[in-house]
């Protein structure tokens, strides 16, 4: 057995720890978006494979017997490539993907399908906006320079932002409700733009928005072809033939 974890998420990191503890031969793959990726207890590789064929070649060359797609729910290209490469090489595939957040009473969500629709859902009049989305998705917001944007990234952005001035917070998270409430109050945030990532670490901003009665423009997840999917690390371990008693 030799597993490949497509990682870059907290869930992938928990899985890597469980796989290392179980002594399973495995490789952890990062996309290379972060300058300082978290260290893993497994051999790590960084960077793209070169599309579907590149990944299929890698699976054959490295004699991968199990592929776990634990990428972020919005990393759709990698997930589509994994489905196609596993079909091409007859490699068993399992996705480890947290459930999306569900709207609860008090939430003021405007659900939109993509970033461009999120831009048009913003008001015309100037507002303080917390843009809680990846830095590769900022360009479309350049058409709305009237807003005062607050942004938060794991690394400081290398490229120029599409507005003359914006507040940048550099932090890896996870974030607490108290911390998010304090940040939103200090910056007098009026609107939040977020992606429905799911999970606990990013949820605090959604809970804070509800507590403050703020509208959230919520970008729904990209559509993926059907694939076997679980939400817990222990389910992946069982799929790999190892039982855990972690309740993870
Ligand atoms: N999208 C997000 O908001 C987000 C948030 C947190 C973490 N991440 C993590 O950041 C990484 C990149 O995300 P993305 O949204 O840019 O992906 P993406 O748009 O789905 O993928 C673009 C390309 O990046 C390469 N790639 C992506 N993930 C990879 C991985 N784990 N290992 C090796 N190559 C990978 C692949 O290149 P090739 O075609 O050349 O193989 C893929 O085609 C992923 O590991 C993801 O889990 C993403």
């Amino acid at each position: 057995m030799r597993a490949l974890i497509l990682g870059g998420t907290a869930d992938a990191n928990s899985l890597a720890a469980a796989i290392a503890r179980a002594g399973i031969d495995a490789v952890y793959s990062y996309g290379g978006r972060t300058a300082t990726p978290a260290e893993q207890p497994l051999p790590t590789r960084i960077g793209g494979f070169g599309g579907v064929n590149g990944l299929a070649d890698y699976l054959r060359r490295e004699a991968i017997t199990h592929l776990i797609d634990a990428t972020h729910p919005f990393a759709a290209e990698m997930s589509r490539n994994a489905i196609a490469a596993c079909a091409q090489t007859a490699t068993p595939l399992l996705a480890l993907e947290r459930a999306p957040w569900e709207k609860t009473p008090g939430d003021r969500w405007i659900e939109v399908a993509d970033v461009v629709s999120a831009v048009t859902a913003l008001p015309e009049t100037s507002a303080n906006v917390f843009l809680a989305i990846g830095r590769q998705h900022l360009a479309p917001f350049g058409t709305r320079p009237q807003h005062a944007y607050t942004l938060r990234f794991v690394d400081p952005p290398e490229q120029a932002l599409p507005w003359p001035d914006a507040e940048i917070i550099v932090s890896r998270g996870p974030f607490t409700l108290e911390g998010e409430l304090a940040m939103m109050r200090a910056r007098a945030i009026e609107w939040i733009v977020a992606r429905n990532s799911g999970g606990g670490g990013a949820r605090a901003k959604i809970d804070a928005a509800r507590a403050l009665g703020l509208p959230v423009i919520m970008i729904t997840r990209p559509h993926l072809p059907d694939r076997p999917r679980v939400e817990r690390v222990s389910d992946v371990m069982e799929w790999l033939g190892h039982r855990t008693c972690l309740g993870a």
Side-chain angles (χ1 to χ4, degrees), residues 7-8 29-31 33 47-51 71-72 75-78 81 195:
S29 179
Y30 274 115
R33 299 282 186 273
F49 297 93
T71 56
H72 190 271
E77 195 178 336
M78 187 71 254
N81 289 355
R195 296 176 306 172

Side-chain angles (χ1 to χ4, degrees), residues 9-12 71-73 95-101 196-203 221 229-232:
T9 60
D11 288 340
T71 56
H72 190 271
L96 172 61
E97 188 187 61
R98 56 187 63 176
W101 297 313
N196 196 335
S197 304
R203 191 181 168 106
R221 292 183 178 187
R229 175 184 157 272
V230 295
E231 290 178 19
R232 297 182 315 167

Side-chain angles (χ1 to χ4, degrees), residues 125-130 146-150 187-192:
T125 50
S126 169
N128 294 331
V129 180
F130 176 36
Q146 66 268 48
H147 302 308
Y149 293 98
T150 295
R187 291 178 165 74
I189 297 295
E190 297 167 285
W191 286 77
I192 291 133

Side-chain angles (χ1 to χ4, degrees), residues 191-247:
W191 286 77
I192 291 133
V193 181
R195 296 176 306 172
N196 196 335
S197 304
R203 191 181 168 106
K205 62 178 175 282
I206 307 304
D207 294 336
R210 185 187 321 108
L212 297 172
L214 299 177
V216 177
I217 300 172
M218 183 68 85
I219 303 170
T220 55
R221 292 183 178 187
H223 180 73
L224 289 174
D226 278 343
R227 59 193 178 148
R229 175 184 157 272
V230 295
E231 290 178 19
R232 297 182 315 167
V233 166
S234 56
D235 293 332
V236 180
M237 296 307 289
E238 204 162 311
W239 182 70
L240 292 170
H242 279 256
R243 287 195 181 274
T244 53
C245 47
L246 298 171

